PDB file of all heavy atoms in Angstrom:
ATOM      1  N   GLU A   2     -27.702  20.955  16.936  1.00 52.00           N
ATOM      2  CA  GLU A   2     -27.765  22.394  16.622  1.00 52.00           C
ATOM      3  C   GLU A   2     -26.740  23.172  17.451  1.00 52.00           C
ATOM      4  O   GLU A   2     -26.629  23.042  18.669  1.00 52.00           O
ATOM      5  CB  GLU A   2     -29.245  22.890  17.007  1.00 52.00           C
ATOM      6  CG  GLU A   2     -29.548  24.295  16.509  1.00 52.00           C
ATOM      7  CD  GLU A   2     -29.645  24.332  15.008  1.00 52.00           C
ATOM      8  OE1 GLU A   2     -29.972  23.318  14.409  1.00 52.00           O
ATOM      9  OE2 GLU A   2     -29.401  25.442  14.476  1.00 52.00           O
ATOM     10  N   LEU A  49     -19.431  11.639   8.763  1.00 92.00           N
ATOM     11  CA  LEU A  49     -18.579  10.896   9.723  1.00 92.00           C
ATOM     12  C   LEU A  49     -17.144  11.335   9.581  1.00 92.00           C
ATOM     13  O   LEU A  49     -16.675  11.498   8.429  1.00 92.00           O
ATOM     14  CB  LEU A  49     -18.761   9.451   9.524  1.00 92.00           C
ATOM     15  CG  LEU A  49     -20.119   8.825   9.865  1.00 92.00           C
ATOM     16  CD1 LEU A  49     -20.163   7.358   9.445  1.00 92.00           C
ATOM     17  CD2 LEU A  49     -20.411   8.945  11.354  1.00 92.00           C
ATOM     18  N   ALA A  54     -11.637  12.899   4.018  1.00 87.00           N
ATOM     19  CA  ALA A  54     -10.215  12.539   3.821  1.00 87.00           C
ATOM     20  C   ALA A  54      -9.306  13.370   4.589  1.00 87.00           C
ATOM     21  O   ALA A  54      -8.280  12.841   5.199  1.00 87.00           O
ATOM     22  CB  ALA A  54      -9.858  12.541   2.315  1.00 87.00           C
ATOM     23  N   PRO A  58      -7.279  10.989   9.335  1.00 89.00           N
ATOM     24  CA  PRO A  58      -6.138  10.517  10.275  1.00 89.00           C
ATOM     25  C   PRO A  58      -6.375  10.771  11.739  1.00 89.00           C
ATOM     26  O   PRO A  58      -5.706  10.291  12.602  1.00 89.00           O
ATOM     27  CB  PRO A  58      -4.983  11.378   9.764  1.00 89.00           C
ATOM     28  CG  PRO A  58      -5.284  11.683   8.365  1.00 89.00           C
ATOM     29  CD  PRO A  58      -6.767  11.894   8.264  1.00 89.00           C
ATOM     30  N   GLY A  66     -11.454   8.912  25.466  1.00 77.00           N
ATOM     31  CA  GLY A  66     -10.789   9.647  26.533  1.00 77.00           C
ATOM     32  C   GLY A  66     -10.133  10.945  26.086  1.00 77.00           C
ATOM     33  O   GLY A  66      -9.948  11.169  24.877  1.00 77.00           O
ATOM     34  N   GLU A  71      -0.912  14.229  21.011  1.00 85.00           N
ATOM     35  CA  GLU A  71      -0.826  13.137  20.074  1.00 85.00           C
ATOM     36  C   GLU A  71      -0.603  13.717  18.667  1.00 85.00           C
ATOM     37  O   GLU A  71      -0.994  14.853  18.368  1.00 85.00           O
ATOM     38  CB  GLU A  71      -2.083  12.325  20.049  1.00 85.00           C
ATOM     39  CG  GLU A  71      -2.365  11.553  21.286  1.00 85.00           C
ATOM     40  CD  GLU A  71      -1.523  10.274  21.416  1.00 85.00           C
ATOM     41  OE1 GLU A  71      -0.849   9.952  20.391  1.00 85.00           O
ATOM     42  OE2 GLU A  71      -1.507   9.665  22.524  1.00 85.00           O
ATOM     43  N   THR A  76      -2.778  16.825   5.914  1.00 82.00           N
ATOM     44  CA  THR A  76      -2.325  17.469   4.693  1.00 82.00           C
ATOM     45  C   THR A  76      -2.590  19.026   4.814  1.00 82.00           C
ATOM     46  O   THR A  76      -3.768  19.455   4.989  1.00 82.00           O
ATOM     47  CB  THR A  76      -3.051  16.960   3.471  1.00 82.00           C
ATOM     48  OG1 THR A  76      -2.834  15.570   3.362  1.00 82.00           O
ATOM     49  CG2 THR A  76      -2.541  17.617   2.228  1.00 82.00           C
ATOM     50  N   LEU A  84       1.033  17.165  12.901  1.00 86.00           N
ATOM     51  CA  LEU A  84       0.599  18.253  13.758  1.00 86.00           C
ATOM     52  C   LEU A  84       0.125  17.626  15.154  1.00 86.00           C
ATOM     53  O   LEU A  84      -0.489  16.571  15.205  1.00 86.00           O
ATOM     54  CB  LEU A  84      -0.536  19.010  13.176  1.00 86.00           C
ATOM     55  CG  LEU A  84      -0.247  19.641  11.777  1.00 86.00           C
ATOM     56  CD1 LEU A  84      -1.492  20.421  11.330  1.00 86.00           C
ATOM     57  CD2 LEU A  84       0.957  20.557  11.908  1.00 86.00           C
ATOM     58  N   PRO A  90     -13.433  15.047  25.953  1.00 85.00           N
ATOM     59  CA  PRO A  90     -14.799  14.642  25.837  1.00 85.00           C
ATOM     60  C   PRO A  90     -15.744  15.788  26.159  1.00 85.00           C
ATOM     61  O   PRO A  90     -15.539  16.574  27.070  1.00 85.00           O
ATOM     62  CB  PRO A  90     -14.982  13.465  26.824  1.00 85.00           C
ATOM     63  CG  PRO A  90     -13.849  13.666  27.808  1.00 85.00           C
ATOM     64  CD  PRO A  90     -12.732  14.370  27.068  1.00 85.00           C
ATOM     65  N   ARG A 206       0.355 -14.447  10.379  1.00 92.00           N
ATOM     66  CA  ARG A 206       0.180 -15.812   9.999  1.00 92.00           C
ATOM     67  C   ARG A 206       0.593 -16.066   8.519  1.00 92.00           C
ATOM     68  O   ARG A 206       1.195 -17.075   8.192  1.00 92.00           O
ATOM     69  CB  ARG A 206      -1.331 -16.159  10.159  1.00 92.00           C
ATOM     70  CG  ARG A 206      -1.825 -16.310  11.588  1.00 92.00           C
ATOM     71  CD  ARG A 206      -1.178 -17.430  12.287  1.00 92.00           C
ATOM     72  NE  ARG A 206      -1.769 -17.662  13.638  1.00 92.00           N
ATOM     73  CZ  ARG A 206      -1.210 -18.372  14.531  1.00 92.00           C
ATOM     74  NH1 ARG A 206      -0.098 -19.036  14.294  1.00 92.00           N
ATOM     75  NH2 ARG A 206      -1.815 -18.508  15.713  1.00 92.00           N
ATOM     76  N   GLY A 260      18.068 -21.769  15.680  1.00 91.00           N
ATOM     77  CA  GLY A 260      17.610 -20.980  16.840  1.00 91.00           C
ATOM     78  C   GLY A 260      16.095 -20.931  16.773  1.00 91.00           C
ATOM     79  O   GLY A 260      15.412 -21.639  16.154  1.00 91.00           O
ATOM     80  N   ALA A 290      23.276   1.807  17.538  1.00 79.00           N
ATOM     81  CA  ALA A 290      23.170   3.260  17.333  1.00 79.00           C
ATOM     82  C   ALA A 290      23.120   3.593  15.865  1.00 79.00           C
ATOM     83  O   ALA A 290      22.640   4.686  15.468  1.00 79.00           O
ATOM     84  CB  ALA A 290      24.268   3.953  18.054  1.00 79.00           C
TER      85      ALA A 290
END
Side-chain angles (χ1 to χ4, degrees):
E2 191 69 26
L49 291 173
E71 293 283 350
T76 301
L84 301 182
R206 289 294 186 193

